[in-house]
């Protein structure tokens, strides 16, 4: 649907000549040609929802012209006109399949409830196929178009819905754009095509509509998500012109600030949202997530649920008046489009059209209403889809398009297929963005030779997609679970992921590697409230209350608010400073009386920037009455000769020391107590003018002495009171904050500071000192050094400083520990000693295929195929000294009965040999540990 270009010129609506907008009904034979028009309906109402089946309610008298057209099943089309040709809008074709008639009614009025033409897509179902797994049709890593075309092509081959046409395929949507997502699904036979279409729309995969009998499907948010609220001629639905009713139905019933997520095996996670709207204090809610057993996934689901419950929910219904309106349904906008319309409180805002309803009465006049979603409801829909995707999996972005880094592996169960990865970003407890990847694959039902096999589970491996990076086991699932959630991952990194099946300890062949780019958080913080401007002493003060435009607190990932300024007569905005909390900023150096336009934007830790706050304008007030400048005072040098008569009064503060000639005023000319503090200009009195001990503490006004008035080295051995001391406002600097016991060191550019600070109360009765570095160039790590009375701790932390991400040392009063921890128990490795005189080692021995000559230990395992009576293992290098191998041999036969021994050992390797077991040389598995003497 393409809107007519009706916004280029000014439209004038004159009394007695309103713009026409009309609807009529036309009739077609089923799947056939047009029969004619229904000229005299008693009234009808038609609804056009986004991504759903449209509907038509129609009343018609049996005595009216054209009634015979409705006597048999037929198709009824709604058409509109704006004064020219009649046009059938999308979703404007309906099926006359249900009627109601009262034969005692002499008027012969019948009512017809007609669903949209797409209703009959429920009459096409998915049939079984020769290749089924556990009774389900498998769709492995395919587009939505491929799945829908499978339904349609197979159904029409059986003779179903012969009148249906499509204009999309498995590669591109109806607009010719490539599909942006792939899906891995297992579907029960009997699923209707309409159900599949509605589910894909609910998951945010696509938008769809009917154009006559043509099914059109688009990538979600593209063709049926046009932004008509922006640009030089936005579609703006104004009260009194386009809109005559604007009811708001709002409720706080579902609001909550805390949620308890209950997962598997008694795992509970509480998530809170301090920014939620809860006027009566903390409101709690509860959610059960069966099948979820990791805290990160539960936290993400909790954050999503709380975000949807964070504020008042408002349903916006706007009555429209097409006979007066400038902008008309379908001619200028349609379902899915974003338009400017009266939002909550009748404030104009960008709103998405979720449904158009039009009605025609007996008089033929057209009325109607729009159901609109604001940005909060649209975000709620996206969050609900994200949560559903995390739980169910099955949808992926198609990967990043990068080539997997080189790798190889393989074992007995066949490789899983259809592996897809759906990455999303979430905020951790400290407000920093982390990544979560939902991995989905098809079940394995056979071994590498195609023989049926029941596997007992799956292992998911991941690594950063760089050659040489190690693979790590990141998730394990049971045999029936083919979806896993992997987290936390570093946003902005590409990861390779693969999966394999296991069966009684035997590892299967890995699937192909899927590469996914972990997205960063893309949600900007709220728009700041309007700046509070004032001017005094020749400077501008910009105040901010630390809240959003709707008085909501800033979120956990808020970083700073930028203060923007420009001359409204010569636009060119620049950032003049930042605020990281409620407070004020001083803008000096602006000319007197010149307007300055100022506004704010907020920025989060991922760099997302909000829209602009309300703009405010202010002009700097002059220190000196401007009527004196040029008339009485010549610039800043002297008083113009003769401009002040003898009996004239001099304005207080208008004569400064720079205007008085040296020695011109002698002590005898000054009346006792005639000079007060407010008569002396700043800088007029220097140290040489003051007698010793002439100025006492009681003579100095509060705040009269600022940093600029104190000479270098002027303060020695004294106490400075106050909250913050800083060496500079920007650039390379330090900031000392006594309120937080915090000393920060900033680089010449950016905000990646290092920090020395103390925490009071971390341990009872003492203050603990911390030193932290800035983050590294990949924003993945920072160093932290902690000194307490009974503990010295040095460790590498993640970028937020809330979790471990590398090596660490603990030197404590009761123990010592050295090792590695990146937040995953599967990779945690350390050696621990304590006062018992014993130690333990946590982790795994490095299973190496080759060692360096001075390595202490070589450990590993290998399998030997059947038919061999021995094996030799080579270290790969000549070790620096003699080795002591310790080995065992496991036989693969069910009736194992054999002898074996380690018969040779050297600095280059060792060998074993064995006898036959059960009369055959069956396959063997060898496990060893070799230490260097």
């Amino acid at each position: 649907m393409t809107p007519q270009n009706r916004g280029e010129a000014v439209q004038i609506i004159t009394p007695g000549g309103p713009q026409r907008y009309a609807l009529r009904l036309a009739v077609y034979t089923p799947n056939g040609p047009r029969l004619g028009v229904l000229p005299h309906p008693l009234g009808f109402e038609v609804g056009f929802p986004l991504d759903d089946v449209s509907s038509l309610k129609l009343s018609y008298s049996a005595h009216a012209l054209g009634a015979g057209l409705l006597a048999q099943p037929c198709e009824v089309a709604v058409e509109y006109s704006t004064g020219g040709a009649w046009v059938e809008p999308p979703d404007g074709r309906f099926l006359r399949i249900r009627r109601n008639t009262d034969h005692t009614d002499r008027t012969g009025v019948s009512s017809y409830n007609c669903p949209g033409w797409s209703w009959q897509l429920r009459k096409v179902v998915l049939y079984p196929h020769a290749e089924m797994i556990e009774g389900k049709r498998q769709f492995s890593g395919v587009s939505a178009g491929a799945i829908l075309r499978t339904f349609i092509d197979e159904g029409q081959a059986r003779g179903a819905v012969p009148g249906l046409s499509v204009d999309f395929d498995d590669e591109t949507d109806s607009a010719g754009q490539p599909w942006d997502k792939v899906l891995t699904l297992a579907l029960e036979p009997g699923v209707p095509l309409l159900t599949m279409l509605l589910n894909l729309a609910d998951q945010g995969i696509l938008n769809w509509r009917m154009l006559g009998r043509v099914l059109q499907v688009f990538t979600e948010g593209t063709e049926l998500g046009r932004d008509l609220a922006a640009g030089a001629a936005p579609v703006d639905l104004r009260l009194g012109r386009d809109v005559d009713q604007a009811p708001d139905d709002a409720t706080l019933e579902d609001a909550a600030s805390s949620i308890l997520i209950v997962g598997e095996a008694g795992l509970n996670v509480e998530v809170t949202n301090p920014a939620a709207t809860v006027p009566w204090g903390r409101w709690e809610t509860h959610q059960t997530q069966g099948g979820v057993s990791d805290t990160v996934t539960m936290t993400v689901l909790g954050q999503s649920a709380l975000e949807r419950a964070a504020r008042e929910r408002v349903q916006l219904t706007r009555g429209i008046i097409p006979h007066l309106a400038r902008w008309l349904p379908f001619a200028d906008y349609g379902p899915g489009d974003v338009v400017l319309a009266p939002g909550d409180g009748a404030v104009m805002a960008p709103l998405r059209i979720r449904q158009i309803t039009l009605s025609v009465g007996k008089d033929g006049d057209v009325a109607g209403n729009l159901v609109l979603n604001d940005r909060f409801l649209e975000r709620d829909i996206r969050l609900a889809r994200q949560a559903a995707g995390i739980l169910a999996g099955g949808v992926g972005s198609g990967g990043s398009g990068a080539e997997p880094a080189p790798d190889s592996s393989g074992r007995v169960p066949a490789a899983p297929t259809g592996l897809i990865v759906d990455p999303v970003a979430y905020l951790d407890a400290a407000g920093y963005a982390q990544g979560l990847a939902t991995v989905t694959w098809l079940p394995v039902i056979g071994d590498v030779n195609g023989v049926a096999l029941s596997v007992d589970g799956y292992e998911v491996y991941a690594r950063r997609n760089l050659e040489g990076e190690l693979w790590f086991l990141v998730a394990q699932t049971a045999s029936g679970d083919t979806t896993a959630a992997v987290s936390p991952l570093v946003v902005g990194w590409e990861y390779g992921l693969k999966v394999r099946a296991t069966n009684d300890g035997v590892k299967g062949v890995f699937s192909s590697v899927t590469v996914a780019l972990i997205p960063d958080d893309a949600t900007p913080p709220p728009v700041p409230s309007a700046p509070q401007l004032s001017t005094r002493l020749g400077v501008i003060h910009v105040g901010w209350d630390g809240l959003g435009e709707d008085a909501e607190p800033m979120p956990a990932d808020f970083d700073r608010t930028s203060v923007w300024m420009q001359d409204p007569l010569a636009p060119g905005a620049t950032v003049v400073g930042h605020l990281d909390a409620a407070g004020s900023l001083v803008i000096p150096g602006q000319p007197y009386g010149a307007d300055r336009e100022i506004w704010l934007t907020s920025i989060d830790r991922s760099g997302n920037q909000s829209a602009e706050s309300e703009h405010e304008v202010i002009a700097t007030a002059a220190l000196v009455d401007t009527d004196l400048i040029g008339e009485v005072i010549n610039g800043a040098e002297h008083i113009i000769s003769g401009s002040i008569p003898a009996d004239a009064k001099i304005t207080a503060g208008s004569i400064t020391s720079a205007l008085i000639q040296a020695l011109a005023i002698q002590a005898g000319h000054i009346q006792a107590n005639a000079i007060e503090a407010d008569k002396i200009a700043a800088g007029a009195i220097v140290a040489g003018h003051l007698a010793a001990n002439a100025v006492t503490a009681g003579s100095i006004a509060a705040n009269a002495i600022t940093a600029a008035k104190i000479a270098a080295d002027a303060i020695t051995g004294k106490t400075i009171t106050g909250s913050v001391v800083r060496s500079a406002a920007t650039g390379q600097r330090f900031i000392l904050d006594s309120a937080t016991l915090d000393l920060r060191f900033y680089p010449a550019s950016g905000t990646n500071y290092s920090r020395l600070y103390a925490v009071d109360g971390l341990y009872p009765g003492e203050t603990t000192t911390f030193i932290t570095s800035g983050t590294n160039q990949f924003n993945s790590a920072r160093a932290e050094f902690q000194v307490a009375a009974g503990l010295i701790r040095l460790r590498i932390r993640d970028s937020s400083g809330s979790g471990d991400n590398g090596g660490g040392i603990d030197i404590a009063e009761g123990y010592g520990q050295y090792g590695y921890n990146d937040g995953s128990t599967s990779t945690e490795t350390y050696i621990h000693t304590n006062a018992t005189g014993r130690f333990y080692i946590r982790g795994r021995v490095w299973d190496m295929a080759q060692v360096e000559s001075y390595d202490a230990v070589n450990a590993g395992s290998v399998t030997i195929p059947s038919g061999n009576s021995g094996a030799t293992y080579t270290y790969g290098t000549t070790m620096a000294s003699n080795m002591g191998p310790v080995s065992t041999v496991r036989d693969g036969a069910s009736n194992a009965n054999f002898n074996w021994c380690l018969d040779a050992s050297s600095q280059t390797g060792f060998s074993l040999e064995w006898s036959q077991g059960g009369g055959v040389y069956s396959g063997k598995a060898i496990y060893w540990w070799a230490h260097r003497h």
Side-chain angles (χ1 to χ4, degrees):
M1 179 185 63
T2 303
Q4 300 175 13
N5 189 11
R6 309 177 65 245
E8 297 297 330
V10 176
Q11 180 186 21
I12 300 175
I13 300 175
T14 58
Q19 180 181 4
R20 288 293 301 157
Y21 185 80
L23 298 177
R24 72 178 184 183
L25 302 175
V27 179
Y28 292 77
T29 60
N31 297 334
R34 183 185 180 99
L35 295 176
V37 175
L38 296 175
H40 302 298
L42 297 176
F44 62 89
E45 181 178 271
V46 59
F48 302 91
L50 175 65
D51 296 330
D52 209 339
V53 179
S54 56
S55 62
L56 168 68
K57 294 182 179 180
L58 164 67
S59 296
Y60 213 88
S61 172
H63 307 303
L65 182 65
L69 297 176
L70 297 172
Q72 301 296 327
C74 60
E75 298 175 8
V76 180
V78 173
E79 298 176 342
Y80 74 90
S81 173
T82 59
W86 291 92
V87 180
E88 179 181 334
D91 291 319
R93 187 72 62 92
F94 303 88
L95 305 174
R96 201 243 75 181
I97 58 176
R98 183 179 178 183
R99 62 185 174 87
N100 183 274
T101 303
D102 183 355
H103 293 292
T104 65
D105 182 2
R106 295 185 178 182
T107 63
V109 175
S110 295
S111 60
Y112 302 88
N113 290 317
C114 306
W117 204 96
S118 60
W119 175 90
Q120 63 179 318
L121 300 182
R122 65 192 299 178
K123 300 300 185 180
V124 183
V125 300
L126 185 67
Y127 268 51
H129 190 272
E131 297 180 4
M132 304 271 285
I133 298 179
E134 298 179 353
K136 296 181 180 180
R137 291 281 299 269
Q138 307 296 316
F139 293 90
S140 174
V142 298
S143 68
I147 296 175
L148 296 176
R149 287 300 297 262
T150 299
F151 276 77
I152 296 168
D153 295 345
E154 292 182 0
Q156 291 190 324
R158 298 189 299 267
V161 288
L164 176 66
S165 299
V166 297
D167 59 1
F168 62 90
D169 55 33
D170 58 341
E171 298 290 338
T172 58
D173 66 6
S174 294
Q177 298 300 312
W179 294 104
D180 66 341
K181 293 181 176 66
V182 294
L183 301 93
T184 291
L185 301 174
L187 301 178
E188 296 274 1
V191 175
L193 171 59
L194 181 59
T195 299
M196 191 71 227
L197 199 58
L198 293 173
N199 287 344
L200 292 176
D202 287 343
Q203 294 180 50
I205 308 301
L206 52 79
N207 297 126
W208 64 276
R209 69 185 182 190
M210 296 295 302
L211 192 60
R213 302 183 183 114
V214 179
L215 174 61
Q216 295 188 317
V217 182
F218 305 95
T219 297
E220 199 276 334
T222 56
E223 185 68 19
L224 297 189
R226 301 174 303 170
D227 186 1
L228 305 181
V235 176
D236 54 338
L237 306 181
R238 300 284 177 177
L239 284 171
R241 184 192 69 186
D242 307 272
V243 175
D244 65 344
Q245 298 179 27
D248 294 344
D249 184 7
T251 179
L252 276 170
E253 293 171 302
D254 297 325
S257 59
S258 178
I259 186 169
L260 177 65
I261 305 290
V262 179
E264 291 291 331
L267 180 62
N268 299 326
V269 172
E270 182 194 50
V271 183
T272 59
N273 180 9
T277 302
V278 280
W280 288 272
R282 176 182 169 112
W283 279 6
E284 299 176 338
T285 187
H286 167 269
Q287 184 171 308
T288 300
Q289 294 295 174
V292 179
S293 58
D294 67 284
T295 57
V296 170
T297 300
M298 294 174 68
T299 299
V300 174
L301 294 174
Q303 289 176 348
S304 176
L306 279 188
E307 181 67 21
R308 302 196 300 273
R311 60 187 63 84
E312 184 180 55
R313 297 184 67 88
V314 182
Q315 178 177 310
L316 305 176
T317 303
R318 300 293 179 254
I320 57 175
I321 42 179
H323 63 285
L324 294 176
R326 176 183 181 184
W327 306 106
L328 301 174
F330 298 110
D332 300 304
Y333 58 82
D337 290 336
V338 177
V339 299
L340 279 177
D344 189 13
V347 177
M348 295 294 287
L351 303 173
R352 193 177 190 193
I353 299 173
R354 280 284 162 175
Q355 178 166 321
I356 298 176
T357 301
L358 300 172
S359 61
V360 176
K362 293 181 181 180
D363 54 5
D365 286 344
V366 181
N369 62 72
L370 308 176
V371 177
L372 304 172
N373 276 9
D374 60 20
R375 68 181 189 275
F376 300 116
L377 281 178
E378 286 297 306
R379 174 165 167 77
D380 289 350
I381 292 172
R382 291 194 300 271
L383 289 170
R385 290 168 176 169
Q386 182 186 92
I390 292 171
L391 288 173
V395 180
S397 63
S400 65
E403 291 294 325
D407 189 44
S408 62
S409 58
R411 282 299 174 98
V412 176
T417 59
L419 180 69
I420 60 174
V421 180
D422 184 23
V424 297
Y426 69 96
L427 298 181
D428 63 16
Y432 287 85
Q434 305 284 0
L436 169 70
T438 302
V439 187
T440 306
W441 60 92
L442 290 178
V444 173
I445 59 172
D447 63 14
V448 291
N449 297 316
V451 180
L453 178 69
S454 297
V455 302
D456 55 21
Y458 298 91
E459 296 178 340
V460 180
Y461 281 75
R463 71 171 182 180
R464 191 176 183 190
N465 190 46
L466 296 173
E467 185 172 358
E469 291 288 321
L470 297 177
W471 287 98
F472 293 98
L473 176 65
V474 292
Q476 293 177 290
T477 72
S479 59
D481 192 351
T482 55
T483 296
V486 179
S487 63
L489 302 173
V490 180
V491 296
W493 281 14
E494 278 187 342
Y495 285 87
L497 295 106
K498 60 184 180 180
V499 64
R500 67 181 177 189
T502 62
N503 185 53
D504 294 332
V506 178
K507 310 297 186 182
V509 178
F510 275 112
S511 70
S512 59
V513 176
T514 295
V515 176
L517 175 66
I518 307 303
D520 202 345
D521 170 39
T523 302
V527 176
S529 59
Q532 302 155 9
L533 305 185
S534 62
T535 176
R536 62 188 180 88
L537 300 178
V539 297
I540 297 173
H541 294 262
V542 181
W544 179 52
D545 60 9
L547 302 176
E549 63 179 350
D550 296 320
E552 71 272 35
M554 287 292 155
D557 63 337
F558 168 76
D559 183 69
R560 64 190 185 278
T561 291
S562 296
V563 181
W564 297 79
M565 184 179 72
Q566 70 176 6
D567 181 348
L569 300 179
T574 58
V575 175
V576 294
H578 301 282
L579 294 167
D580 56 12
S584 63
L585 177 78
V586 175
I587 305 177
Q590 300 304 307
Y592 295 155
D595 283 344
R596 289 295 178 261
E597 185 178 2
I598 296 172
W599 65 93
L600 309 175
T601 60
S602 55
I603 303 173
D604 64 21
R605 290 172 177 154
S606 296
N608 300 307
Q609 183 165 264
S610 73
E612 298 173 0
S613 72
E614 294 183 16
H615 290 218
E616 303 290 346
V617 177
I618 195 171
T620 304
L623 284 171
V624 178
D625 190 337
T626 53
D627 290 337
L628 301 178
I629 301 174
E631 298 294 329
V632 176
I633 299 175
N634 183 10
E637 298 298 326
H638 57 273
I639 301 173
I640 298 175
S641 178
S643 62
I644 301 179
D647 58 351
K649 294 183 178 179
I650 301 175
T651 303
S654 63
I655 300 178
T656 63
S657 60
L659 304 179
I660 303 174
Q661 184 178 1
L663 305 177
I665 301 178
Q666 300 177 3
H669 297 160
I670 303 173
Q671 183 180 352
N673 300 319
I675 302 179
E676 299 176 352
D678 61 350
K679 305 302 189 297
I680 303 173
I685 300 178
V686 298
H689 298 159
L690 301 177
N693 301 317
V695 180
T696 61
S699 305
I700 304 174
N703 300 319
I705 300 178
T706 62
K709 306 298 188 298
I710 303 174
D713 303 320
I715 300 177
T716 59
K718 303 299 180 182
T719 300
I720 301 175
T721 60
S723 178
V724 178
V725 176
R726 61 180 180 179
S727 61
T730 59
Q732 189 178 51
R733 64 196 186 279
F734 72 82
I735 296 179
L736 175 62
D737 191 339
S738 62
T740 58
L741 302 179
D742 192 339
L743 177 59
R744 300 185 181 186
F745 300 91
Y746 284 81
S749 62
T751 59
N752 191 18
Y753 56 81
S754 60
R755 187 180 180 200
L756 169 62
Y757 66 103
V759 176
D760 189 5
L762 183 62
Y763 303 105
E766 65 173 289
T767 299
T768 306
T769 304
F770 286 84
I771 299 176
T772 61
S773 71
T775 59
N776 61 7
Q777 60 178 324
F778 305 109
N779 195 34
S780 61
R782 66 171 70 235
E784 179 184 274
F785 181 49
Q786 176 187 159
V787 179
L791 173 66
I792 297 176
R793 173 172 289 167
L794 176 63
R795 54 184 171 172
I796 301 299
R797 306 280 269 167
D798 59 23
S799 59
S800 67
S802 61
D804 293 329
N805 192 31
I809 300 174
D810 279 8
I811 304 174
E813 185 178 10
Y815 73 94
Q817 182 171 299
Y818 166 76
Y820 175 88
N821 183 8
D822 62 2
S824 171
T825 55
S826 64
T827 58
E828 188 177 34
T829 307
Y830 59 82
I831 181 170
H832 182 100
T833 64
N834 56 38
T836 65
R838 295 179 295 176
F839 73 93
Y840 64 85
I841 301 175
R842 179 68 52 82
R844 297 181 297 172
V845 174
W846 198 312
D847 190 4
M848 296 180 289
Q850 183 176 354
V851 297
E852 299 294 334
S853 60
Y854 282 91
D855 283 357
V857 174
N858 174 258
S861 62
V862 69
T863 57
I864 306 298
S866 59
N868 291 280
S869 60
T872 298
Y873 178 79
T874 302
Y875 297 131
T877 185
T878 300
M879 304 303 292
S881 58
N882 190 35
M883 299 293 288
V886 178
S887 178
T888 188
V889 179
R890 174 187 173 189
D891 193 272
S894 59
N895 58 343
N897 180 20
F898 70 105
N899 299 313
W900 67 273
C901 70
L902 194 156
D903 62 352
S905 174
S906 69
Q907 290 177 236
T908 60
F910 64 90
S911 63
L912 306 108
E913 64 179 20
W914 50 81
S915 65
Q916 294 188 23
V920 296
Y921 283 115
S922 53
K924 303 290 189 292
I926 301 173
Y927 307 89
W928 75 88
W929 168 292
H931 59 276
R932 189 168 64 85
H933 294 291

